[in-house]
Amino acid sequence: MLHKVHKMLKILAAESMSKSFEPKGTFVKLIEVTNNPKMCNRCHFFVPSAQTGKFISASGWCEACTKIPPYVAGDMLRKCLNLRYKTYGMHK
């Protein structure tokens, strides 16, 4: 499974950038982080940042993590987030 996920990172990053992919369930309500940076409970990046976006969900996941499937975790998750930033211009 890990090998398959590694091969699909570019596809997962591209799909997570799509406007048609919206989070569901506890991730629907996103709260904007303005003053004090918060750490995402999934990727452990600080919100706001170029990789995570400026919103965090009620469950503590950043906006980007809510759009990536839950079977992508750890280093693969962080690689996917960095790929979103570098390749698909999340920083724009």
Side-chain angles (χ1 to χ4, degrees), residues 3-90:
H3 182 67
K4 289 181 183 178
V5 170
H6 185 64
K7 290 175 97 174
M8 294 176 52
L9 278 180
K10 288 183 181 178
I11 296 167
L12 290 171
E15 284 181 352
S16 70
M17 292 298 294
S18 169
K19 297 284 184 195
S20 63
F21 186 86
E22 292 299 324
K24 295 173 179 65
T26 60
F27 306 114
V28 173
K29 185 177 180 184
L30 296 173
I31 304 158
E32 187 172 5
V33 177
T34 53
N35 295 337
N36 297 331
K38 296 184 180 184
M39 186 178 285
C40 174
N41 289 339
R42 185 173 179 204
C43 66
H44 303 290
F45 284 165
F46 281 101
V47 178
S49 74
Q51 288 89 351
T52 62
K54 59 182 178 178
F55 295 96
I56 197 160
S57 71
S59 65
W61 285 16
C62 66
E63 181 181 13
C65 282
T66 63
K67 297 181 177 186
I68 297 174
Y71 58 82
V72 181
D75 288 340
M76 291 296 167
L77 173 64
R78 287 181 279 284
K79 283 181 184 179
C80 189
L81 292 174
N82 284 324
L83 190 61
R84 281 170 50 104
Y85 170 70
K86 291 176 184 173
T87 307
Y88 300 102
M90 188 172 173

